[in-house]
Amino acid sequence: MVSLIKDSVGILPAGALGVSFFYHLTQQLTQVDDRVYFLERQNSSSSQSLKKSGEIAIATSETIKYFPTAKILKPDLLSCYKLGFLPEIVLICPNPDQLLSIISTVVELLILISEQGELSQPELPFPYLVLSSNGIYFQRFRQIFIEKIEEATLFGRLADLWPDIMPRIVSRFLRGVTIQTGVREGSEGNTIYRPGPRGRTQITGGDITSRERCCEILAGKGAWFELAPNISPTRIEFDKALANLSTNLLGQLMSIDAQGKFKVLTIGEILANSHQPEIRELASHVFKVGQMIKVYGKDENFEVILDQLMETCHAHESHIPSSLQWLDTKIRLLTLEPEMTPTEAWLLEPLIRYAKASELEDSVNYFESLKNQLIEKLTLATNRNR
């Protein structure tokens, strides 16, 4: 019989954000043990490269520390189950375009657990899942998660889990909206991970018991996790999107000039008075879309939301946005391509979709224009640095 290992956290996968979580969950690498580790993403070439290199390099403020992959990198979730263990929490933080394949793996895990007759146990051997990639997606992926379970039932791979087991499973499907940052430099055997400063992650979704248990474990290990206010996960994603788009997306547009020359900017420089009209315009469109889909109340005041956004951003004004750090690295390594990162795509595309569904033509045009401007600037920077 497989049990969840109490107080243990599996981070999936060992990417830039995942390594940042690892760094802070292990008290700046001073408490590395079997309670916090990485999980392979199924069929991931990156995981194979890490295993081949034999170690994971993590930069601290003083030095670079090397950890054997045999010690901190476990197999994928299905293999872990077959080996007889599962973490109590899986912190899921790949690029958002990889989330769908991970949800498929999680449903396969449920099928394995069911085949062993363990789904009806009082102590359900199914981890808490905390989706922590950036983007606006939680409601959509929770729906996909349920649909995939229903499909497995339809094809006879799972028993009907309603009405008792299904709520217990879905209550463990959580969202961690985070401002934690991290950067990955190099590739394959030369990769170095640089964790960002300790950043807040708000736990939402699922049920209150699951949220409290996850916060107890994750905050107890020293990282900055807290319960989100009692509002919808999508609302928190929208609030985070405001900050992300203002600093990361507008930051990219401001950091590349008309000749394609790139200059690193801090959040404080992006928030300069001369840029306030651009930030205000972006925020007003996000707010307008949010009101149409009931994320923001019809009586909520845009100026209050804007003030909260500026307060959040000013609290981190000495930081360099992660997208600008990513740009800087790509330019130095001559690997920049004129394409949006998955994070920006998973912020802009849902906003465009919601704006179209709400018939907000000016907002659709605005977000499409932002996307085009970003590609143009990245093309200029790519051509200049080839």
Side-chain angles (χ1 to χ4, degrees), residues 200-211:
R200 183 179 68 177
T201 303
Q202 293 181 293
I203 302 289
T204 181
D207 67 2
I208 185 62
T209 303
S210 302
R211 294 196 293 271

Side-chain angles (χ1 to χ4, degrees), residues 58 123 175 339:
I58 306 175
E123 293 287 330
R175 180 73 167 98
E339 56 189 27

Side-chain angles (χ1 to χ4, degrees), residues 99-377:
L99 284 170
L100 185 58
S101 68
I102 291 177
I103 288 173
S104 297
T105 300
V106 167
V107 175
E108 290 299 317
L109 174 64
L110 275 174
I111 292 169
L112 274 181
I113 296 172
S114 176
E115 288 171 350
Q116 297 303 313
E118 296 179 333
L119 272 186
S120 55
Q121 288 181 24
E123 293 287 330
L124 187 66
F126 184 69
Y128 298 106
L129 308 171
V130 184
L131 277 63
S132 301
S133 307
N134 286 313
I136 300 172
Y137 57 76
F138 182 72
Q139 198 168 19
R140 184 177 177 192
F141 279 126
R142 184 173 59 186
Q143 181 182 352
I144 290 172
F145 178 52
I146 294 171
E147 286 176 355
K148 282 184 171 288
I149 293 174
E150 298 280 17
E151 187 178 77
T153 302
L154 180 67
F155 284 94
R157 303 185 69 206
L158 269 176
D160 188 355
L161 303 181
W162 296 101
D164 299 324
I165 300 174
M166 193 68 150
R168 295 175 64 200
I169 292 169
V170 177
S171 69
R172 294 176 178 231
F173 195 81
L174 306 167
R175 180 73 167 98
V177 181
T178 188
I179 61 169
Q180 184 62 59
T181 60
V183 173
R184 167 184 164 169
E185 290 183 4
S187 60
E188 299 187 344
N190 298 316
T191 300
I192 296 174
Y193 294 95
R194 298 188 181 277
R198 187 170 173 264
R200 183 179 68 177
T201 303
Q202 293 181 293
I203 302 289
T204 181
D207 67 2
I208 185 62
T209 303
S210 302
R211 294 196 293 271
E212 287 179 346
R213 178 60 181 157
C214 288
C215 279
E216 178 188 356
I217 295 171
L218 295 164
K221 293 182 181 300
W224 187 358
F225 284 81
E226 62 184 37
L227 287 177
N230 192 25
I231 52 180
S232 78
T234 307
R235 165 63 185 264
I236 299 172
E237 287 180 328
F238 262 66
D239 288 345
K240 171 69 192 318
L242 281 169
N244 233 324
L245 291 170
S246 298
T247 57
N248 283 290
L249 192 147
L250 291 185
Q252 288 182 74
L253 295 178
M254 296 169 191
S255 66
I256 301 171
D257 67 16
Q259 285 71 50
K261 186 178 179 183
F262 171 74
K263 178 188 176 186
V264 172
L265 298 174
T266 64
I267 289 177
E269 291 170 315
I270 294 166
L271 300 179
N273 287 339
S274 58
H275 298 140
Q276 287 297 309
E278 294 153 85
I279 295 173
R280 185 181 187 85
E281 184 182 19
L282 184 148
S284 72
H285 282 287
V286 174
F287 181 73
K288 203 163 26 171
V289 173
Q291 275 196 317
M292 290 300 290
I293 64 167
K294 315 295 187 202
V295 165
Y296 296 111
K298 64 178 181 181
D299 297 327
E300 281 197 79
N301 187 332
F302 169 68
E303 297 301 330
V304 173
I305 299 295
L306 185 62
D307 286 346
Q308 290 170 349
L309 165 65
M310 298 309 294
E311 185 181 344
T312 300
C313 292
H314 277 299
H316 302 86
E317 60 184 12
S318 64
H319 295 185
I320 297 167
S322 57
S323 290
L324 270 63
Q325 294 183 50
W326 172 85
L327 259 180
D328 187 36
T329 300
K330 290 283 185 182
I331 288 172
R332 281 192 286 110
L333 298 175
L334 303 177
T335 56
L336 184 64
E337 296 289 339
E339 56 189 27
M340 280 196 303
T341 66
T343 297
E344 266 84 44
W346 275 87
L347 291 170
L348 282 181
E349 296 298 346
L351 286 169
I352 292 170
R353 191 170 63 251
Y354 290 139
K356 283 181 178 175
S358 304
E359 299 182 348
L360 293 173
E361 190 176 349
D362 59 335
S363 294
V364 173
N365 293 337
Y366 172 77
F367 292 125
E368 292 280 10
S369 169
L370 271 186
K371 195 166 72 172
N372 293 335
Q373 288 176 56
L374 181 59
I375 298 298
E376 286 171 14
K377 284 291 186 81

